[in-house]
Amino acid sequence: MNVTVLGLGKMGSAIAVALSKAGYETTVWNRTPGKVVEGAVHASTAREAIAASPVVLAVVADYATVRELYQGSTGGALINLATGTPEEAAEMAAWAAEHGIDYVDGAMLAVPQQVATPDAQFIYSGSTKVFEDNQKLLDVLATSRYLGTDPVVAALWDTALLGVGYSTLLGFFHAAALLDTAGTGPKELLPLAGQWIQGMVGWLADLSAEIESGEYGNAVSSVDLNRTAAANLVNTSLARGVSTETLAPFRSLLDRRSADGHGADSLSSLFELLKQR
């Protein structure tokens, strides 16, 4: 029932509060003093905080900071929620093994206010034992999904899902900029945009099946059809003085796929231009 949280930024504080409220003996440490988590024990040093619990949640800026805080500490279990690349996760796992630390790499698919609610999802990979031993604790914070023993996998999934998120946000921002030319605010856009996105999510099942089969011929929404739609979107934006920077990569992929003789193929065939060769 003892757990340590390193880092009391907005996310670290939300995690520490949730664990403390759930009855865990929570030790916390933050580089900048003055941040208080009610019910938690505030360690004076990172080394003291690490020694206080069998499992440590590192909620700091990056992997280098985690290694820095662990100077002089060995053993125990580390669940690293710092942001980084898959390559950094691999290096971190190797470093942890050298120091006798059981390691799990994690990623937080949530914002601080979603912690300890059904809207939060955290993903993990690495030591099966560490995850299973601490799953009840982790489930306090979010829906926990374990992706296997390779510590790189969680960071790779996190990076991939970040791309989905950024694309969605850019689409919304561009739509808001277009409607702003007619005096419509983003709050008015949101309900219809949400319904549209939900419909797109449903369509992804069909597109995923096409990608996995490699069969793109029976197109509901073809490359050339979307080239026309994208051109209309660009032209409307330009006519209203709205930037088309977010649209350029998508339009380029459509043009390339059509030029390669696949204009009649499904839109999902753009995957063929993106995948690893």
Side-chain angles (χ1 to χ4, degrees):
M1 295 292 287
N2 289 359
V3 59
T4 287
V5 178
L6 298 178
L8 293 178
K10 290 183 179 180
M11 185 62 85
S13 294
I15 286 173
V17 167
L19 292 171
S20 183
K21 285 184 176 179
Y24 287 90
E25 296 292 334
T26 308
T27 299
V28 298
W29 178 87
N30 193 60
R31 189 185 299 276
T32 304
K35 293 189 176 181
V36 176
V37 175
E38 187 176 349
V41 176
H42 291 72
S44 58
T45 66
R47 188 171 183 178
E48 177 187 326
I50 292 167
S53 308
V55 59
V56 174
L57 302 183
V59 198
V60 295
D62 51 43
Y63 287 64
T65 300
V66 178
R67 286 193 293 271
E68 176 189 339
L69 298 180
Y70 260 81
Q71 289 295 324
S73 299
T74 57
L78 168 61
I79 300 174
N80 182 21
L81 298 175
T83 300
T85 67
E87 291 70 29
E88 287 176 315
E91 293 171 0
M92 191 75 186
W95 170 89
E98 292 173 2
H99 291 78
I101 299 167
D102 292 326
Y103 184 72
V104 164
D105 202 87
M108 303 172 289
L109 309 180
V111 293
Q113 57 265 36
Q114 292 174 325
V115 170
T117 75
D119 293 329
Q121 294 189 70
F122 287 10
I123 54 178
Y124 305 94
S125 64
S127 168
T128 302
K129 184 178 187 305
V130 171
F131 177 78
E132 291 180 348
D133 287 350
N134 295 283
Q135 185 171 0
K136 184 177 179 180
L137 176 155
L138 297 174
D139 285 344
V140 168
L141 308 176
T143 300
S144 304
R145 178 171 295 186
Y146 179 64
L147 300 174
T149 58
D150 186 347
V152 169
V153 173
L156 182 60
W157 270 75
D158 182 42
T159 305
L161 291 169
L162 191 64
V164 174
Y166 280 149
S167 298
T168 304
L169 290 174
L170 285 174
F172 182 82
F173 297 156
H174 185 269
L178 267 180
L179 290 176
D180 183 67
T181 66
T184 301
K187 288 184 178 179
E188 192 174 346
L189 163 65
L190 187 56
L192 283 176
Q195 286 185 322
W196 175 244
I197 291 170
Q198 285 300 316
M200 296 287 284
V201 170
W203 186 33
L204 284 177
D206 295 333
L207 299 181
S208 297
E210 291 173 356
I211 290 171
E212 292 201 354
S213 69
E215 298 293 333
Y216 303 111
N218 189 21
V220 174
S221 182
S222 71
V223 168
D224 281 343
L225 178 67
N226 282 279
R227 284 183 73 213
T228 300
N232 290 338
L233 180 54
V234 167
N235 292 335
T236 299
S237 300
L238 292 174
R240 290 178 172 265
V242 173
S243 171
T244 60
E245 291 174 88
T246 63
L247 305 173
F250 178 56
R251 200 174 184 193
S252 174
L253 288 169
L254 290 169
D255 289 343
R256 283 174 55 198
R257 190 66 177 163
S258 182
D260 289 343
H262 297 284
D265 284 357
S266 171
L267 180 63
S268 62
S269 71
L270 294 185
F271 171 78
E272 298 297 327
L273 297 178
L274 297 170
K275 71 179 183 180
Q276 183 184 35
R277 296 296 175 183

